[in-house]
Amino acid sequence: MSMNKVTVSVTGAAGQIGYALLFRIASGQMFGANTRVHLKLLELPRALNALKGVKMELDDCAFPLLDGVTCTDSQAEAFADADWALLVGSVPRKAGMERGDLLKINGGIFTEQGKNIAEHAKSDCKVLVVGNPCNTNAYIAKESAKGKISDRNFYAMTMLDQNRAYAQVAQKANCSLTEIKNLAIWGNHSSTQFPNFEKATIAGAKATAQVADLDWWQNDFMKTVQKRGAAIIEARGASSAASAANAVVDTVRSLTEKTPEGECFSVALCSDGSYGVPEGLIFSYPVKITAEGKREIVQGLELSDFEKQKIKETADELVSEREAVKSLL
């Protein structure tokens, strides 16, 4: 049986998420047992020694599917011939820092990364941004790569939010996670995100009928999902790492495999204007992959006034973020 080969670039590779992610990629969990992987790992110069230790551990795992590991602080080398660029590294928000300040600091990072991906990666490279604020960081990278990498190839991760939502529903409904379908995240990976419970099902029936407590859905459920990241930081003194890495694997697998019939998954992508969202924003939608491998936003959903309001709120926030970084582009 012939083997496929894929080159995967990972930024911030020695950080907590990177450390949790790399071994899962190398083991075959992301691309399957028929794909060999070359990892190209990017870090800041001061973190190269830590990255060397990570490479040593990857070597010591003796993963049969790992074709090689490149460690570097050069973006040109890290993104050279990449099939996938997983942009994990970013400057975290610190106490007293406004969201606008964070956008501008990371704006410079993702402008350069977008340019280097356009210059050095394969022309059909797929880019998944994990580093926050991920939607607008992905927008910046997309705009910086314009003309060389298709807008359709840029994504931001909202699968972690989807997984969080599924877990909350499974616990509330006392059901299996596999019984929950189509609970998609709309909008920004922020506290305005909309985990759309109105279209979700449990064991084939409407979720809101199975859990007939609208106050829980609109308040406890939504707020828990929206603020889960902050709650984890408060509890463990550090941000989500293992669950974020798991969601990266889930996202790439979802984007590279046919979506089961009648189902969807969450990922932020370049809006085409669907459901009134301004074109060009990196906005999370319910998405599916067809049998032909085509990626589509799920169309034809009839939205309630509540859904429309929540989608507008999160879209408005992304428009304001776009304005905040306009001077960087």
Side-chain angles (χ1 to χ4, degrees), residues 137-191:
N137 286 342
Y139 172 81
I140 292 166
K142 168 179 72 77
E143 292 298 301
S144 301
K146 240 181 179 28
K148 293 190 176 180
I149 305 285
S150 170
D151 290 353
R152 286 181 57 85
N153 288 18
F154 286 84
Y155 301 94
M157 189 174 80
T158 53
M159 182 65 77
L160 177 55
D161 306 300
Q162 176 183 305
N163 289 344
R164 290 165 169 169
Y166 271 53
Q168 292 303 311
V169 174
Q171 291 171 22
K172 178 70 173 179
N174 193 27
C175 69
S176 165
L177 285 162
T178 59
E179 294 180 282
I180 305 166
K181 308 293 182 191
N182 299 333
L183 206 177
I185 306 298
W186 293 66
N188 199 5
H189 174 66
S190 74
S191 60

Side-chain angles (χ1 to χ4, degrees), residues 186 196 198-199 275 301-305 307-308 311:
W186 293 66
N196 191 355
E198 290 197 8
K199 296 294 184 284
Y275 300 100
L301 298 175
E302 293 186 13
L303 302 177
S304 68
D305 289 342
E307 289 170 298
K308 290 175 183 176
I311 290 168

Side-chain angles (χ1 to χ4, degrees), residues 135-136 186-194 271 273-285 307-323:
N135 293 60
T136 297
W186 293 66
N188 199 5
H189 174 66
S190 74
S191 60
T192 70
Q193 66 175 261
F194 176 40
S271 171
S274 291
Y275 300 100
V277 175
E279 290 185 32
L281 293 180
I282 299 291
F283 189 92
S284 185
Y285 285 103
E307 289 170 298
K308 290 175 183 176
Q309 175 194 346
K310 293 303 175 186
I311 290 168
K312 184 180 185 304
E313 287 173 3
T314 193
D316 286 348
E317 181 181 55
L318 282 167
V319 169
S320 70
E321 290 186 8
R322 181 175 65 183
E323 291 301 308

Side-chain angles (χ1 to χ4, degrees), residues 288-308:
K288 63 180 180 180
I289 305 298
T290 68
E292 297 76 32
K294 184 180 178 184
R295 189 212 74 206
E296 297 179 352
I297 296 169
V298 174
Q299 299 293 335
L301 298 175
E302 293 186 13
L303 302 177
S304 68
D305 289 342
F306 179 80
E307 289 170 298
K308 290 175 183 176

Side-chain angles (χ1 to χ4, degrees), residues 5-317:
K5 291 188 178 182
V6 64
T7 298
V8 182
S9 303
V10 182
T11 72
Q16 285 198 84
I17 296 174
Y19 185 78
L21 173 64
L22 296 176
F23 300 89
R24 298 189 62 176
I25 301 173
S27 70
Q29 291 181 48
M30 181 174 281
F31 295 102
N34 196 38
T35 302
R36 298 183 65 81
V37 178
H38 186 111
L39 289 172
K40 293 195 171 183
L41 311 181
L42 180 69
E43 260 299 354
L44 298 171
R46 64 175 179 269
L48 284 177
N49 201 49
L51 187 58
K52 178 183 176 182
V54 175
K55 181 184 181 300
M56 292 165 69
E57 285 202 80
L58 285 164
D59 291 341
D60 292 351
C61 287
F63 289 119
L65 294 171
L66 186 58
D67 246 1
V69 181
T70 301
C71 298
T72 183
D73 62 357
S74 162
Q75 291 192 31
E77 184 178 12
F79 295 126
D81 298 318
D83 296 288
W84 280 86
L86 308 178
L87 308 187
V88 176
S90 67
V91 175
R93 188 169 178 175
K94 297 170 184 172
M97 184 183 288
E98 297 295 329
R99 190 172 179 87
D101 298 330
L102 184 65
L103 286 166
K104 289 175 181 176
I105 292 169
N106 279 307
I109 295 170
F110 285 87
T111 298
E112 287 305 307
Q113 291 185 357
K115 290 177 179 176
N116 275 281
I117 290 168
E119 189 68 27
H120 303 288
K122 291 179 180 174
S123 60
D124 61 350
C125 179
K126 309 294 190 300
V127 182
L128 175 63
V129 178
V130 180
N132 286 319
C134 63
N135 293 60
T136 297
N137 286 342
Y139 172 81
I140 292 166
K142 168 179 72 77
E143 292 298 301
S144 301
K146 240 181 179 28
K148 293 190 176 180
I149 305 285
S150 170
D151 290 353
R152 286 181 57 85
N153 288 18
F154 286 84
Y155 301 94
M157 189 174 80
T158 53
M159 182 65 77
L160 177 55
D161 306 300
Q162 176 183 305
N163 289 344
R164 290 165 169 169
Y166 271 53
Q168 292 303 311
V169 174
Q171 291 171 22
K172 178 70 173 179
N174 193 27
C175 69
S176 165
L177 285 162
T178 59
E179 294 180 282
I180 305 166
K181 308 293 182 191
N182 299 333
L183 206 177
I185 306 298
W186 293 66
N188 199 5
H189 174 66
S190 74
S191 60
T192 70
Q193 66 175 261
F194 176 40
N196 191 355
F197 56 87
E198 290 197 8
K199 296 294 184 284
T201 62
I202 301 173
K206 288 195 64 164
T208 50
Q210 299 282 58
V211 178
D213 183 348
L214 191 58
D215 182 68
W216 180 80
W217 286 110
Q218 292 186 352
N219 291 288
D220 293 354
F221 166 73
M222 285 184 56
K223 289 175 183 176
T224 297
V225 177
Q226 290 167 339
K227 299 180 179 181
R228 186 68 164 185
I232 289 171
I233 290 172
E234 184 177 350
R236 71 181 292 259
S239 60
S240 310
S243 57
N246 178 70
V248 177
V249 175
D250 286 348
T251 301
V252 174
R253 288 186 66 108
S254 294
L255 285 166
T256 53
E257 299 176 353
K258 180 185 180 299
T259 307
E261 198 64 36
E263 297 184 25
C264 65
F265 63 94
S266 307
V267 70
L269 45 73
C270 185
S271 171
D272 60 2
S274 291
Y275 300 100
V277 175
E279 290 185 32
L281 293 180
I282 299 291
F283 189 92
S284 185
Y285 285 103
V287 173
K288 63 180 180 180
I289 305 298
T290 68
E292 297 76 32
K294 184 180 178 184
R295 189 212 74 206
E296 297 179 352
I297 296 169
V298 174
Q299 299 293 335
L301 298 175
E302 293 186 13
L303 302 177
S304 68
D305 289 342
F306 179 80
E307 289 170 298
K308 290 175 183 176
Q309 175 194 346
K310 293 303 175 186
I311 290 168
K312 184 180 185 304
E313 287 173 3
T314 193
D316 286 348
E317 181 181 55

